[in-house]
Amino acid sequence: MWQKLLIMIFLCLSAKSVSASDFSLPEAWQGETPDSVITIDYADLDYVLDAAVLMSGPPSRKKSKAASASVSTRLKNNYNILTTNAGNRIMFEEFKKKPEMAAVISKIRASLESVPVEIPLNSLNKKEQIAFWLNLYNVVVIDEINKVYPKKDLEDFVTGKDGLLTRKLVKAGGVQLSLNDIQYGVLQQKYPDEVLVIYGLYQGYIGSPSIRKYAYTGANLNRSLQFNATDFINTNRGTYPNGKTFRVAGFYQRNASYFPDFAADLRNHLKEYLREDEIPLLDQAQTLVADINDWTVTDIYGTSRNYGGGAATNDAALLGAFAQGQTMPGSEEVANLELMASTVQAKSVTYGRFSADQVQKLKEMKFNHENRGGVVTVTDLTEAEAAAKAKAKSESGKQNDKQRQ
């Protein structure tokens, strides 16, 4: 009996999570337009992510070899052999070396923050809205890490009392937000059943979900989040079978508000994406222990110091070692990233993220919203519907003329 009581106490402690229930959604952010065909363009962000992100390859349980000292020194790097190879990486070291590259991230951030000024967000469909908030969240994280890099351990930086998640760092459409406000006050408040959203929230450290090589869009949202969930759950940074216990990421503990009955709900969730041969291990485990944490920044080699030198520890070698199975050598990736700064232009804040045929609609929508208030829904008319509407308007006008006569 006392063992069950201890388990219950543990799960209650594990289920503590952040909330932003006091955040009030602006009117223009409430609801959505299900049949809206308006989309946001992320071509600039796609280019940057494709150049700056290295994929870690298929999910794997393989551990890293223990660190060893190089010739002529007793010093060696410390890292978690269970998790160090998991998750995609960003070339933060290149952003640090070349500030003009980091400036591109800042410009994209400013452009995304301006989108709610250009358009009432509720005129977008649900998937487009979620994709927008995920992209803004992730760009802010990258931009803020650029400011403190090469900081290696991000625990205090991310979760501290005045850390990355709690500070009002974002100004979206004139509204000051923290990253927690985006996650809990916007996304979870509007879409409480969309658990997969947590896998789109990149937080900069190995123990968080991966950054993608492309931006989220309404079209790729479901597929991308499912891919990220599968990747996270089937690598050691997300879960790890361990006999009578089944270890899971502390990330789940910090997001326990998505799992009201923490142990039962999380078990059911994990079964949806866990490798089929490991599901029996989860079923047999008596407890879930949320103790897997790796707060190491997701860079490539910048925070791995080169003790003693050696041919295998230069930047290119380390880059190539991480990107095993990649079709593009590391040196080309770095060259592409350098090219990024001179080729990617930040989008204009004046409807720059929308196609030309959407601009007029957005302007009319904004005018109606400002002058009439309330929620505005934009619907594309077919040619037949437009003709019928014009005919009805013409006949109505003729009838009014007769009455005036």
Side-chain angles (χ1 to χ4, degrees):
M1 182 67 184
W2 65 269
Q3 290 178 321
K4 291 183 177 180
L5 180 60
L6 286 176
I7 292 172
M8 291 178 65
I9 292 173
F10 171 79
L11 291 176
C12 288
L13 292 174
S14 296
K16 290 182 179 180
S17 63
V18 183
S19 66
S21 57
D22 58 340
F23 179 80
S24 180
L25 283 171
E27 181 186 349
W29 298 2
Q30 298 176 21
E32 61 269 332
T33 305
D35 59 350
S36 173
V37 295
I38 298 173
T39 58
I40 301 176
D41 176 36
Y42 300 106
D44 51 349
L45 182 55
D46 279 337
Y47 192 97
V48 171
L49 293 177
D50 184 60
V53 174
L54 279 182
M55 301 288 283
S56 61
S60 171
R61 294 291 187 193
K62 187 177 181 180
K63 297 180 183 179
S64 172
K65 293 181 179 179
S68 58
S70 300
V71 177
S72 77
T73 179
R74 293 180 181 275
L75 300 176
K76 60 183 180 179
N77 289 302
N78 291 319
Y79 51 78
N80 188 327
I81 63 172
L82 187 70
T83 58
T84 190
N85 289 331
N88 297 344
R89 304 301 166 88
I90 294 182
M91 296 182 187
F92 285 112
E93 34 284 277
E94 295 302 315
F95 287 127
K96 186 69 174 180
K97 292 175 184 176
K98 301 179 177 64
E100 64 273 19
M101 297 181 190
V104 173
I105 295 293
S106 299
K107 289 180 181 179
I108 292 175
R109 170 181 176 172
S111 177
L112 289 177
E113 287 178 322
S114 73
V115 168
V117 175
E118 302 171 6
I119 179 175
L121 293 181
N122 54 24
S123 63
L124 301 172
N125 63 44
K126 174 181 174 180
K127 290 183 180 179
E128 283 292 329
Q129 288 190 50
I130 293 176
F132 165 73
W133 287 115
L134 293 181
N135 288 329
L136 176 58
Y137 185 108
N138 294 343
V139 167
V140 169
V141 169
I142 296 171
D143 194 37
E144 292 299 317
I145 290 177
N146 278 338
K147 298 174 183 178
V148 300
Y149 188 81
K151 187 177 181 64
K152 181 176 182 178
D153 187 327
L154 298 185
E155 182 174 8
D156 289 340
F157 173 73
V158 173
T159 64
K161 184 177 180 181
D162 190 31
L164 176 67
L165 301 182
T166 56
R167 281 180 289 149
K168 300 285 185 178
L169 295 170
V170 187
K171 190 173 184 180
V175 180
Q176 290 291 149
L177 300 166
S178 67
L179 293 179
N180 277 343
D181 288 334
I182 291 178
Q183 179 177 358
Y184 301 103
V186 179
L187 291 172
Q188 190 176 25
Q189 186 179 154
K190 291 190 68 173
Y191 312 113
D193 297 325
E194 296 293 337
V195 178
L196 287 182
V197 163
I198 66 174
Y199 296 104
L201 300 170
Y202 168 71
Q203 295 180 348
Y205 56 94
I206 292 175
S208 73
S210 282
I211 188 71
R212 307 295 301 154
K213 278 185 75 73
Y214 52 79
Y216 291 100
T217 65
N220 72 33
L221 183 68
N222 287 347
R223 180 178 69 255
S224 298
L225 292 180
Q226 288 172 1
F227 186 98
N228 259 23
T230 300
D231 171 71
F232 189 76
I233 290 170
N234 291 285
T235 58
N236 296 336
R237 78 194 197 282
T239 66
Y240 190 71
N242 190 30
K244 293 183 179 180
T245 62
F246 196 90
R247 299 178 64 192
V248 299
F251 180 80
Y252 288 117
Q253 176 182 326
R254 294 184 289 278
N255 287 278
S257 59
Y258 288 87
F259 309 99
D261 185 349
F262 188 71
D265 291 345
L266 183 55
R267 280 178 184 266
N268 291 333
H269 172 70
L270 294 178
K271 286 181 182 180
E272 293 185 50
Y273 302 96
L274 192 64
R275 284 170 39 180
E276 189 172 342
D277 62 316
E278 291 186 350
I279 292 178
L281 301 178
L282 176 59
D283 289 334
Q284 294 164 14
Q286 296 178 6
T287 59
L288 298 182
V289 182
D291 68 342
I292 302 176
N293 289 292
D294 191 332
W295 296 100
T296 308
V297 64
T298 57
D299 63 356
I300 306 297
Y301 48 75
T303 53
S304 296
R305 294 184 61 185
N306 181 0
Y307 293 114
T313 56
N314 62 72
D315 289 357
L318 287 166
L319 188 65
F322 177 80
Q324 293 179 7
Q326 300 297 312
T327 58
M328 186 175 294
S331 58
E332 292 182 17
E333 291 275 6
V334 175
N336 285 342
L337 186 58
E338 186 169 4
L339 180 64
M340 174 194 76
S342 60
T343 58
V344 176
Q345 298 297 321
K347 295 289 183 179
S348 166
V349 296
T350 307
Y351 305 104
R353 294 193 174 273
F354 302 95
S355 61
D357 62 329
Q358 293 176 344
V359 171
Q360 187 59 37
K361 292 180 185 178
L362 296 179
K363 289 181 177 179
E364 292 175 357
M365 185 188 310
K366 186 176 180 182
F367 176 83
N368 290 338
H369 184 79
E370 292 175 347
N371 289 276
R372 299 180 187 175
V375 176
V376 179
T377 300
V378 176
T379 304
D380 286 328
L381 299 178
T382 64
E383 292 184 5
E385 291 172 332
K389 186 174 181 180
K391 182 178 179 182
K393 184 176 181 180
S394 176
E395 291 177 352
S396 175
K398 292 178 181 178
Q399 185 65 31
N400 291 336
D401 289 341
K402 289 181 179 179
Q403 290 178 354
R404 285 194 291 271
Q405 292 175 357

